[in-house]
Amino acid sequence: MELLIIPCLFALIALVVPSNFMRQYALIGGAVSLILSVVAMVSFDVTGFKTIFDPHMVTSFGLTFKMGYDGMSLFMVVLTNLITFIILLSNYNRTLATNKSFTALVFLMQAALVGVFTAFDGLMFYIFWEITLIPVFLIALWFGSSERKKALMKFFIYTFVGSLAMLASLMAIKASAATFAHEDLVAVTLTAKAAYWIFAGFFLAFAIKIPLFPFHTWQPDTYTASPMAGTMLLSALMLKMALYGMIRWLVPLAPEALPDMTKIVVVLGIIGVVYAGVLAIKQSDIKRLFAFASISHVGLIAAGAILISHDNWSAVFIQMANHSLVAVGLFLAADIFEQRLGTRNLNDLGGIAKQAPKFAFMFGVLALASVSVPLSSGFIGEFMLLKGVYSYNWLVGVIAGTTLIIGAVYTLRAYQLSMFGAPKASPFADLALNEWLAFLIIMVLILVFGVYPQAMIDFVGPSIDNLIQTIK
Amino acid sequence: MDALIVIFITGLISLFVAFMRKPMLVLGTSLLGLLIAAALLLNQWNHPYNLLAYKGLSFDHTAISYSLVAVLFTFLSILVGYKSFKEQLDHTGDYVALFLFSLTGALCIVSFTDMFMFFIGLEILSIPIYVLAGSKKKDAYSAEASLKYFLTGAFATGVLLFGIAWVYGAVGSFDLNEIAMNINAGETDSSLLKVGVLLIMAAFLFKVGAAPFHFWSPDVYAGSPTVVTGYMAAVVKLAAFGAFMKLFGSVFPAIHDFWAPALMVLAILTMFVGNLSALGQLKFKRLLAYSSITHVGYALLAIMTESPMSEQNLLFYLFSYGFSILALITISTIIDDEEDNIEAFKGLARRNPILGFVAVLALLSLAGVPPLVGFFGKYLIFSGAISQYPTLVIIAIANSGIGIYYYLKMIMTVASKEDNTNTGHLEVTPIQWFVMAVCVAGLLFGGAVLGYL
């Protein structure tokens, strides 16, 4: 329970903390939650389940308030707290870091995300899912770039409509279940037709949030319009809710629809991989480029999430962690360009490797992790996902495999244009301490998980097996 | 029953207290009366009794809960309006008394057991509002609102009376139990009865402002003094829906198959008319009126749903709706823009962050974002109806999706930080803070009430 309450408290206290202490306060808050969740992780039995809140009551409309975590949930909670800490760290020397409402909103977001990952009641999941929308929307609205309004309107309406579809599905499935508790909802047997509708409702919500082709059109604009921390929250954490939701809710609740729907989801995911990858090659705005790269990467993860198997789902969790780390790093890099030079246009950048060698090194490591070279955490996840998709259908697998090539093209192009050649703008200040630390943490984790991914598989594996057993 | 008498007498007393020209005293009297009425109602919950031999009113649990919510919202409305009542010292007592008289009518029509009482109650509810709508005497729009509301309202009452007469002709009684018994006994084919039911339904749809009987509502909402708009949206609607539910949920369910399809079509129409008209509004109260039409569309779902829960769901829905409306109305009276433009809300969060926070909460609750109370209200209605009317619920959910556009636009207006068109300090009285605190508590924790139902 403290995992949920501590960030809420930090959010409230942030409103009265003096602004010259705000940076340190934010870091402390992030660190406290991170330490708490790591402690929870160390003392957790990976095959078990730990209840964090259960009043043992059912309201008249079936809400049970059940919250807890198994291996998968705890994995996501630790990831959330880790990424939030890195976001706060990389934001440390930005002017935004002294802002009260900004800090409060980030902590609120953290609390809501923890709620999403620990909810074991359908309605609680929905409630937390919706709450996450508010802080990220306000962060982008108050602190975003000048052309944000239209993009945000689109973002909010898209995601809200998706959520409403999910709500409809939840209500429909609840009509034949005793309560909203996860196990009761999973126990419902649906007719094929009902299952299609319920699946479609959930899928729409998740597909918009991830985002999958063709529901992705809000994403590049919103990512570009948000301030750095907002973009990081959106890409590194918010979309993980949807991937997690696919595994925890979509597949177990409406498995009757899977025989027909799997195809659609996999194909949409793979279209996104290729389509967004090709678009990323053509981008000159580096933040936009990373936004499209993100669509491309998560398309593959979504395809893996719909294919039930121990290996695929383990790979999904590895890839989620990897994508979160890499996305935070890349958007930090994009923001460093913007902050130092006032532009994100690749054509105005160049020769930075000579001026800022530390930055060039870190950015290089991230670029390589992003294209999944061996020994980086991206390699094993991507490899296992491609293997899963390949064994589902060889043709789709082959097409998905092009992600490795396309990814290398856009990432290395961005790296080459910005880092090499003649310097176009000078001087370029090298990394500040907090940026260097953030990159260092990301780099170390990428390497550790690249060398020893089994640690993650062992952690989420047993709970994945448990969940697969409950699926009819 | 005694609560009814207390409220009526409080109204009379406030008229006389006003002669002392001390507005605070009038306010105190009326609030005290309302508190006593609430206490009496609560007492009646556990100890049902009838004060008079007359059986026209019966305060069962449903009636008491509707009455309590109506008393609460009237209490808040009077507090919201206090600032403007105070300024017109000659009429302070009149305003307060009219609110209380109207509340008397509201209590009648949520507790009637007899068509006769129903008709009288509806008139008692409406007539003070006709007067209040026109209480900005020098304002042409206010006069227009009053006249429009009165003429159309009188016409609707006529239709209602006509409908009651047809029903009487079919079953030979005014008493709800006897009517229900007769209908259940198989005289359901009677076309006399069906005509009567349709006419009564039309009158109800007029009172709650459902399409195609909604044309009065934007003009009346926009022209009336702001606090009266709030009262109409929160209390009058609540009472009318309470009566609607009573008649159609417990007296006419035997011919459900006859009237439900008509209501279904109108509910869909209402949602779309309200939502699509709201999209382009520039005036705040007009926006509120159209959004309220949409909410009526959702509430009609509860009337159609044949379930023992729907009475309670509908009440909770209207309860959740009232807090948002009253919070927004309070803020609108604080901003006090002559033209009532939405633009006047621009930069509210910058001028006064707490007001901005309250406004954003209220709007999010109207849009149905959890964990605010509006979400639970909507959720109960939709989930109650989903097994009986799946398509209709999907249409309603799609309409919630349309609705988010104008709520979001409004939220962006409130939260926008860079525009500096509106400046100046906003004066907030302690009474207004109190009302907003109650509303925020309702918005944030109203969902918890469900735990006790």
Side-chain angles (χ1 to χ4, degrees):
Chain A
M1 202 61 203
E2 66 277 4
L3 291 172
L4 197 62
I5 290 175
I6 293 281
C8 285
L9 283 181
F10 271 104
L12 275 182
I13 298 172
L15 295 174
V16 293
V17 169
S19 55
N20 54 3
F21 180 59
M22 192 56 81
R23 299 165 193 271
Q24 292 85 344
Y25 172 79
L27 272 192
I28 294 169
V32 169
S33 293
L34 178 59
I35 291 167
L36 275 177
S37 52
V38 170
V39 169
M41 186 171 78
V42 172
S43 62
F44 182 69
D45 167 23
V46 289
T47 54
F49 178 83
K50 190 162 184 299
T51 304
I52 56 176
F53 183 64
D54 187 2
H56 293 289
M57 62 176 269
V58 184
T59 60
S60 55
F61 54 98
L63 180 61
T64 60
F65 301 103
K66 266 189 196 138
M67 303 191 67
Y69 51 76
D70 58 5
M72 288 188 273
S73 296
L74 187 57
F75 182 87
M76 297 312 291
V77 171
V78 175
L79 184 66
T80 303
N81 289 339
L82 174 71
I83 296 295
T84 311
F85 179 73
I86 300 179
I87 290 174
L88 289 168
L89 181 65
S90 43
N91 207 44
Y92 187 80
N93 64 343
R94 305 292 193 267
T95 45
L96 207 51
T98 57
N99 190 298
K100 279 179 194 173
S101 30
F102 170 79
T103 314
L105 287 172
V106 171
F107 283 126
L108 193 62
M109 182 74 186
Q110 185 184 17
L113 283 163
V114 171
V116 167
F117 294 132
T118 53
F120 272 80
D121 176 283
L123 206 55
M124 291 294 271
F125 174 73
Y126 178 77
I127 289 173
F128 282 115
W129 169 278
E130 282 290 84
I131 296 177
T132 55
L133 192 53
I134 309 295
V136 86
F137 173 76
L138 286 179
I139 288 176
L141 178 67
W142 284 343
F143 311 112
S145 69
S146 51
E147 68 276 10
R148 67 194 181 272
K149 287 216 166 157
K150 234 175 129 183
L152 284 179
M153 193 70 124
K154 197 167 168 187
F155 161 65
F156 199 98
I157 291 176
Y158 251 100
T159 47
F160 193 77
V161 168
S163 310
L164 285 173
M166 174 158 82
L167 180 64
S169 288
L170 267 175
M171 291 194 299
I173 196 167
K174 164 64 178 61
S176 33
T179 71
F180 273 112
H182 185 260
E183 65 264 24
D184 286 343
L185 292 182
V186 170
V188 172
T189 313
L190 298 162
T191 62
K193 195 176 159 224
Y196 287 153
W197 284 104
I198 287 168
F199 187 97
F202 275 104
F203 179 65
L204 187 64
F206 296 149
I208 288 173
K209 207 78 142 198
I210 289 175
L212 284 182
F213 177 87
F215 306 104
H216 65 281
T217 57
W218 62 268
Q219 192 253 31
D221 293 339
T222 310
Y223 278 24
T224 329
S226 302
M228 174 184 77
T231 316
M232 288 175 171
L233 284 172
L234 279 166
S235 69
L237 293 174
M238 214 161 156
L239 74 84
K240 303 301 181 299
M241 300 190 326
L243 292 168
Y244 169 85
M246 283 179 78
I247 290 180
R248 172 77 69 200
W249 298 95
L250 175 72
V251 172
L253 258 52
E256 294 87 349
L258 280 180
D260 295 321
M261 292 293 188
T262 306
K263 205 183 315 165
I264 299 174
V265 179
V266 171
V267 168
L268 286 183
I270 301 309
I271 291 177
V273 168
V274 179
Y275 172 80
V278 172
L279 284 182
I281 298 177
K282 299 293 290 176
Q283 299 303 317
S284 56
D285 179 339
I286 194 162
K287 206 170 174 184
R288 234 181 144 73
L289 188 153
F290 292 147
F292 278 110
S294 176
I295 302 180
S296 176
H297 281 131
V298 292
L300 185 60
I301 308 182
I306 202 74
L307 299 169
I308 310 173
S309 86
H310 176 87
D311 283 356
N312 281 339
W313 281 5
S314 307
V316 167
F317 278 93
I318 295 176
Q319 250 332 59
M320 279 202 270
N322 170 56
H323 180 264
S324 291
L325 290 167
V326 172
V328 169
L330 289 180
F331 283 115
L332 174 58
D335 193 65
I336 287 175
F337 290 124
E338 189 176 7
Q339 196 216 12
R340 307 284 204 273
L341 303 175
T343 176
R344 293 189 308 247
N345 194 322
L346 277 174
N347 301 319
D348 299 340
L349 304 173
I352 291 171
K354 294 194 194 82
Q355 295 164 319
K358 276 195 252 170
F359 177 48
F361 171 71
M362 292 296 183
F363 188 24
V365 172
L366 280 171
L368 291 178
S370 174
V371 299
S372 325
V373 295
L375 289 189
S376 76
S377 56
F379 171 71
I380 187 70
E382 196 127 294
F383 177 77
M384 283 166 75
L385 283 177
L386 284 174
K387 180 170 154 283
V389 174
Y390 186 83
S391 49
Y392 172 69
N393 182 316
W394 68 268
L395 182 60
V396 176
V398 168
I399 297 172
T402 58
T403 177
L404 293 170
I405 304 162
I406 300 173
V409 173
Y410 60 71
T411 315
L412 297 181
R413 171 174 166 271
Y415 191 75
Q416 185 217 358
L417 281 177
S418 57
M419 289 298 158
F420 302 131
K424 287 187 183 159
S426 59
F428 191 95
D430 209 339
L431 294 180
L433 179 64
N434 71 308
E435 292 163 345
W436 186 79
L437 271 177
F439 275 129
L440 186 70
I441 296 173
I442 294 171
M443 188 180 79
V444 168
L445 288 171
I446 285 174
L447 287 178
V448 168
F449 292 132
V451 176
Y452 189 56
Q454 193 62 32
M456 287 200 268
I457 298 178
D458 287 344
F459 193 77
V460 294
S463 50
I464 288 178
D465 291 335
N466 288 344
L467 186 62
I468 290 178
Q469 273 166 16
T470 63
I471 300 172
K472 299 172 293 294
Chain B
M1 188 83 196
D2 36 9
L4 196 71
I5 297 169
V6 167
I7 292 172
F8 178 69
I9 292 180
T10 310
L12 285 181
I13 296 178
S14 4
L15 274 179
F16 288 106
V17 169
F19 290 145
M20 300 192 330
R21 305 181 79 79
K22 289 211 173 75
M24 205 62 205
L25 215 55
V26 182
L27 184 73
T29 318
S30 57
L31 297 186
L32 186 68
L34 286 177
L35 286 178
I36 294 173
L40 289 172
L41 283 168
L42 282 174
N43 178 43
Q44 200 156 19
W45 182 278
N46 290 327
H47 312 94
Y49 58 87
N50 243 345
L51 205 61
L52 302 177
Y54 178 59
K55 294 286 189 296
L57 294 172
S58 132
F59 281 87
D60 54 7
H61 282 188
T62 317
I64 292 178
S65 28
Y66 272 93
S67 305
L68 277 173
V69 179
V71 169
L72 171 68
F73 287 156
T74 312
F75 188 94
L76 294 176
S77 301
I78 292 178
L79 283 175
V80 175
Y82 179 65
K83 203 173 148 211
S84 60
F85 301 158
K86 198 172 60 175
E87 283 159 9
Q88 305 170 44
L89 212 47
D90 288 340
H91 299 296
T92 314
D94 309 358
Y95 291 138
V96 172
L98 284 171
F99 274 113
L100 292 172
F101 292 153
S102 172
L103 177 64
T104 318
L107 257 61
C108 288
I109 68 167
V110 296
S111 63
F112 67 97
T113 59
D114 171 322
M115 288 295 202
F116 186 65
M117 208 59 213
F118 167 50
F119 176 73
I120 292 181
L122 196 63
E123 287 296 272
I124 302 177
L125 173 74
S126 309
I127 290 172
I129 303 298
Y130 300 149
V131 180
L132 281 171
S135 63
K136 268 197 289 184
K137 285 189 212 104
K138 303 226 167 91
D139 183 5
Y141 289 109
S142 180
E144 181 200 340
S146 178
L147 189 65
K148 212 170 226 175
Y149 194 29
F150 173 65
L151 288 180
T152 47
F155 187 72
T157 318
V159 171
L160 174 72
L161 204 53
F162 195 35
I164 293 177
W166 281 82
V167 171
Y168 182 78
V171 298
S173 172
F174 280 139
D175 188 78
L176 295 193
N177 287 330
E178 281 182 40
I179 297 176
M181 251 157 48
N182 273 321
I183 296 175
N184 290 335
E187 286 164 43
T188 52
D189 265 347
S190 156
S191 43
L192 280 177
L193 178 72
K194 286 181 176 171
V195 173
V197 168
L198 279 187
L199 288 172
I200 293 177
M201 190 164 89
F204 268 125
L205 291 173
F206 172 86
K207 278 289 167 204
V208 298
F213 306 99
H214 68 284
F215 290 99
W216 60 273
S217 97
D219 289 346
V220 173
Y221 274 42
S224 305
T226 309
V227 55
V228 180
T229 309
Y231 181 83
M232 283 196 282
V235 182
V236 176
K237 216 155 253 185
L238 175 92
F241 263 115
F244 203 164
M245 190 76 215
K246 202 178 181 75
L247 274 185
F248 283 77
S250 57
V251 180
F252 301 141
I255 49 168
H256 181 269
D257 292 343
F258 166 69
W259 52 263
L263 208 52
M264 189 162 94
V265 174
L266 294 185
I268 296 173
L269 187 66
T270 305
M271 289 179 221
F272 278 107
V273 164
N275 257 337
L276 297 180
S277 319
L279 292 179
Q281 294 302 323
L282 299 173
K283 306 271 180 185
F284 171 66
K285 279 193 275 179
R286 290 192 91 81
L287 176 76
L288 217 56
Y290 283 112
S291 114
S292 130
I293 291 173
T294 313
H295 283 267
V296 166
Y298 302 145
L300 287 178
L301 284 184
I303 307 252
M304 272 179 271
T305 311
E306 291 175 294
S307 131
M309 297 297 286
S310 46
E311 214 157 39
Q312 183 187 317
N313 292 348
L314 180 64
L315 174 62
F316 188 79
Y317 181 72
L318 296 164
F319 171 74
S320 67
Y321 178 68
F323 285 119
S324 296
I325 289 295
L326 288 173
L328 287 174
I329 287 290
T330 315
I331 290 167
S332 169
T333 55
I334 292 169
I335 293 176
D336 199 22
D337 180 45
E338 276 295 305
E339 307 249 294
D340 191 37
N341 285 322
I342 291 180
E343 287 291 298
F345 280 75
K346 205 162 210 170
L348 184 66
R350 177 176 40 75
R351 289 165 81 188
N352 188 331
I354 303 180
L355 286 186
F357 171 75
V358 176
V360 169
L361 272 193
L363 288 164
L364 287 175
S365 175
L366 279 182
V369 174
L372 302 173
V373 68
F375 163 73
F376 290 102
K378 237 181 219 176
Y379 169 78
L380 285 181
I381 299 247
F382 290 175
S383 68
I386 199 162
S387 42
Q388 203 172 353
Y389 300 101
T391 332
L392 198 52
V393 171
I394 289 173
I395 294 175
I397 285 181
N399 265 289
S400 300
I402 304 177
I404 190 67
Y405 173 76
Y406 53 86
Y407 293 126
L408 192 62
K409 216 165 65 172
M410 182 92 191
I411 290 174
M412 281 179 149
T413 311
V414 170
S416 86
K417 281 204 161 173
E418 72 265 15
D419 270 292
N420 284 315
T421 40
N422 303 308
T423 45
H425 182 64
L426 288 170
E427 191 96 28
V428 188
T429 65
I431 291 180
Q432 285 165 333
W433 280 129
F434 172 76
V435 173
M436 280 190 287
V438 174
C439 288
V440 167
L443 290 171
L444 286 177
F445 308 114
V449 174
L450 290 174
Y452 296 98
L453 293 181

Coordinates of all heavy atoms in Angstrom, one line a residue, chain B residues 14-53:
Chain B
S14 N -39.5 33.5 6.5 CA -38.4 34.4 5.9 C -39.0 35.6 5.2 O -38.4 36.6 5.2 CB -37.6 33.6 4.9 OG -38.0 32.3 4.7
L15 N -40.2 35.5 4.7 CA -40.9 36.6 4.1 C -41.0 37.7 5.2 O -40.8 38.9 4.9 CB -42.3 36.3 3.6 CG -42.4 35.7 2.2 CD1 -43.8 35.4 1.9 CD2 -41.8 36.7 1.2
F16 N -41.4 37.3 6.4 CA -41.7 38.4 7.4 C -40.4 38.8 8.0 O -40.2 40.0 8.3 CB -42.6 37.8 8.5 CG -44.0 37.7 8.0 CD1 -44.6 36.4 7.6 CD2 -44.8 38.8 7.8 CE1 -45.8 36.4 7.1 CE2 -46.1 38.7 7.2 CZ -46.6 37.5 6.9
V17 N -39.4 37.9 8.2 CA -38.1 38.3 8.8 C -37.5 39.3 7.9 O -36.8 40.2 8.4 CB -37.2 37.0 8.9 CG1 -35.8 37.5 9.3 CG2 -37.8 36.1 10.0
A18 N -37.8 39.3 6.6 CA -37.1 40.2 5.7 C -37.5 41.6 6.0 O -36.8 42.6 5.6 CB -37.5 39.8 4.3
F19 N -38.6 41.8 6.7 CA -39.0 43.2 7.0 C -38.0 43.9 7.8 O -37.9 45.1 7.9 CB -40.4 43.2 7.7 CG -41.5 42.9 6.7 CD1 -42.6 42.1 7.2 CD2 -41.5 43.2 5.4 CE1 -43.6 41.8 6.3 CE2 -42.5 42.9 4.5 CZ -43.6 42.2 5.0
M20 N -37.2 43.1 8.6 CA -36.2 43.7 9.5 C -35.0 44.2 8.7 O -34.1 44.8 9.2 CB -35.8 42.7 10.5 CG -37.0 42.4 11.3 SD -36.8 41.5 12.9 CE -35.5 40.5 12.9
R21 N -35.0 43.9 7.4 CA -33.9 44.3 6.5 C -32.5 43.9 7.0 O -31.6 44.7 6.9 CB -34.0 45.9 6.3 CG -35.3 46.3 5.8 CD -35.4 47.8 5.6 NE -34.7 48.2 4.3 CZ -35.3 48.1 3.1 NH1 -36.5 47.7 3.0 NH2 -34.7 48.6 2.1
K22 N -32.5 42.7 7.5 CA -31.2 42.1 7.8 C -31.0 40.8 7.1 O -31.5 39.8 7.5 CB -31.1 41.8 9.3 CG -31.1 43.1 10.2 CD -30.3 42.8 11.5 CE -30.0 44.0 12.3 NZ -31.3 44.5 13.0
P23 N -30.4 40.9 5.9 CA -30.3 39.7 5.0 C -29.7 38.4 5.8 O -30.2 37.3 5.5 CB -29.4 40.1 3.9 CG -29.2 41.5 4.0 CD -29.7 42.0 5.4
M24 N -28.8 38.7 6.6 CA -28.1 37.6 7.3 C -29.2 36.8 8.1 O -29.1 35.6 8.2 CB -27.1 38.2 8.3 CG -26.0 37.2 8.6 SD -25.1 36.8 7.1 CE -24.4 35.2 7.6
L25 N -30.1 37.5 8.7 CA -31.2 36.9 9.5 C -32.1 36.0 8.6 O -32.4 34.9 9.0 CB -32.0 38.0 10.2 CG -32.5 37.7 11.6 CD1 -31.3 37.3 12.5 CD2 -33.2 38.9 12.1
V26 N -32.4 36.5 7.4 CA -33.2 35.7 6.5 C -32.5 34.5 6.1 O -33.1 33.4 6.2 CB -33.5 36.6 5.2 CG1 -34.4 35.8 4.3 CG2 -34.1 37.9 5.6
L27 N -31.2 34.6 5.8 CA -30.4 33.5 5.4 C -30.4 32.4 6.6 O -30.7 31.3 6.4 CB -29.0 33.9 5.1 CG -28.1 32.8 4.6 CD1 -28.4 32.4 3.2 CD2 -26.6 33.2 4.7
G28 N -30.2 33.0 7.8 CA -30.1 32.1 8.9 C -31.4 31.3 9.1 O -31.4 30.1 9.3
T29 N -32.5 32.1 9.1 CA -33.8 31.4 9.2 C -34.1 30.3 8.2 O -34.4 29.2 8.6 CB -35.0 32.5 9.0 OG1 -34.6 33.7 9.7 CG2 -36.3 31.9 9.5
S30 N -33.8 30.6 7.0 CA -34.1 29.6 5.9 C -33.2 28.4 6.1 O -33.7 27.3 6.0 CB -33.9 30.3 4.5 OG -32.6 30.8 4.4
L31 N -31.9 28.7 6.4 CA -31.0 27.5 6.5 C -31.4 26.7 7.7 O -31.4 25.4 7.7 CB -29.6 28.0 6.6 CG -29.1 28.7 5.4 CD1 -27.6 29.0 5.5 CD2 -29.3 27.9 4.1
L32 N -31.8 27.3 8.8 CA -32.2 26.6 10.0 C -33.4 25.7 9.7 O -33.5 24.5 10.0 CB -32.5 27.6 11.1 CG -32.8 26.9 12.4 CD1 -31.6 26.3 13.0 CD2 -33.4 28.0 13.4
G33 N -34.4 26.3 8.9 CA -35.6 25.6 8.6 C -35.2 24.4 7.7 O -35.7 23.3 7.9
L34 N -34.3 24.5 6.8 CA -33.9 23.4 6.0 C -33.2 22.3 6.8 O -33.4 21.1 6.6 CB -32.9 23.9 4.8 CG -33.6 24.7 3.7 CD1 -32.6 25.1 2.7 CD2 -34.7 23.8 3.0
L35 N -32.4 22.7 7.7 CA -31.7 21.8 8.6 C -32.7 21.0 9.4 O -32.6 19.7 9.5 CB -30.7 22.4 9.5 CG -29.4 22.9 8.8 CD1 -28.5 23.6 9.8 CD2 -28.7 21.8 8.2
I36 N -33.7 21.7 9.9 CA -34.8 21.0 10.7 C -35.5 20.0 9.8 O -35.7 18.8 10.2 CB -35.8 22.0 11.3 CG1 -35.0 22.9 12.4 CG2 -36.9 21.3 12.0 CD1 -35.9 24.0 12.9
A37 N -35.8 20.5 8.6 CA -36.5 19.6 7.7 C -35.7 18.4 7.4 O -36.2 17.2 7.4 CB -36.8 20.4 6.4
A38 N -34.4 18.6 7.2 CA -33.5 17.4 6.9 C -33.5 16.4 8.1 O -33.6 15.2 7.9 CB -32.1 17.9 6.6
A39 N -33.5 17.0 9.3 CA -33.5 16.2 10.5 C -34.7 15.4 10.6 O -34.7 14.2 10.9 CB -33.3 17.0 11.7
L40 N -35.9 16.0 10.3 CA -37.2 15.3 10.3 C -37.2 14.2 9.3 O -37.7 13.1 9.6 CB -38.3 16.3 10.1 CG -38.5 17.3 11.2 CD1 -39.5 18.4 10.8 CD2 -39.1 16.6 12.5
L41 N -36.7 14.5 8.1 CA -36.7 13.5 7.1 C -35.8 12.3 7.5 O -36.2 11.1 7.4 CB -36.1 14.0 5.8 CG -37.0 14.9 5.0 CD1 -36.3 15.7 3.9 CD2 -38.2 14.1 4.4
L42 N -34.7 12.6 8.1 CA -33.8 11.5 8.6 C -34.5 10.7 9.7 O -34.4 9.4 9.7 CB -32.5 12.0 9.1 CG -31.5 12.4 8.1 CD1 -30.3 13.1 8.7 CD2 -31.1 11.2 7.3
N43 N -35.2 11.4 10.5 CA -36.0 10.7 11.6 C -37.0 9.8 11.0 O -37.2 8.6 11.5 CB -36.6 11.7 12.5 CG -37.4 11.1 13.6 OD1 -36.9 10.1 14.2 ND2 -38.6 11.7 13.8
Q44 N -37.6 10.3 9.9 CA -38.7 9.5 9.3 C -38.2 8.2 8.6 O -38.9 7.3 8.4 CB -39.4 10.4 8.3 CG -40.8 9.8 8.0 CD -41.7 10.9 7.5 OE1 -41.2 12.0 7.1 NE2 -43.0 10.7 7.5
W45 N -36.9 8.2 8.3 CA -36.3 7.1 7.6 C -36.5 5.8 8.5 O -36.9 4.8 8.0 CB -34.8 7.4 7.4 CG -34.1 6.3 6.7 CD1 -33.6 5.1 7.2 CD2 -33.8 6.2 5.3 NE1 -33.0 4.4 6.2 CE2 -33.1 5.0 5.0 CE3 -34.1 7.0 4.2 CZ2 -32.7 4.6 3.8 CZ3 -33.7 6.7 2.9 CH2 -33.0 5.5 2.7
N46 N -36.2 6.0 9.8 CA -36.3 4.8 10.7 C -37.6 4.6 11.3 O -38.0 3.5 11.7 CB -35.2 4.9 11.8 CG -33.8 4.7 11.2 OD1 -33.6 4.0 10.2 ND2 -32.8 5.4 11.7
H47 N -38.4 5.8 11.4 CA -39.7 5.7 12.1 C -40.8 6.2 11.1 O -41.2 7.3 11.3 CB -39.7 6.5 13.4 CG -38.5 6.3 14.3 ND1 -37.4 7.0 14.2 CD2 -38.3 5.3 15.2 CE1 -36.5 6.6 15.1 NE2 -37.0 5.5 15.7
P48 N -41.2 5.3 10.2 CA -42.2 5.8 9.3 C -43.5 6.1 10.0 O -43.9 5.4 10.8 CB -42.3 4.7 8.3 CG -41.7 3.5 8.9 CD -40.8 4.0 10.0
Y49 N -44.0 7.3 9.7 CA -45.3 7.6 10.3 C -46.0 8.6 9.4 O -45.4 9.2 8.5 CB -45.2 8.2 11.7 CG -44.3 9.4 11.8 CD1 -44.9 10.7 11.5 CD2 -43.0 9.4 12.0 CE1 -44.1 11.8 11.6 CE2 -42.2 10.5 12.0 CZ -42.8 11.7 11.8 OH -42.0 12.8 11.8
N50 N -47.3 8.7 9.5 CA -48.0 9.7 8.8 C -48.7 10.7 9.7 O -49.4 10.3 10.6 CB -49.1 9.0 8.0 CG -48.9 9.1 6.5 OD1 -48.1 10.0 6.1 ND2 -49.5 8.3 5.7
L51 N -48.4 11.9 9.4 CA -48.9 13.0 10.3 C -50.4 13.1 10.2 O -51.1 13.3 11.2 CB -48.2 14.3 10.0 CG -48.1 15.3 11.2 CD1 -47.3 14.6 12.3 CD2 -47.4 16.5 10.7
L52 N -50.9 13.1 9.0 CA -52.3 13.3 8.7 C -53.0 12.0 8.2 O -52.3 11.1 7.8 CB -52.5 14.4 7.7 CG -51.8 15.7 8.0 CD1 -51.9 16.7 6.8 CD2 -52.4 16.3 9.2
A53 N -54.3 12.1 8.3 CA -55.0 10.9 7.8 C -54.9 10.9 6.3 O -55.1 9.9 5.6 CB -56.4 11.0 8.3

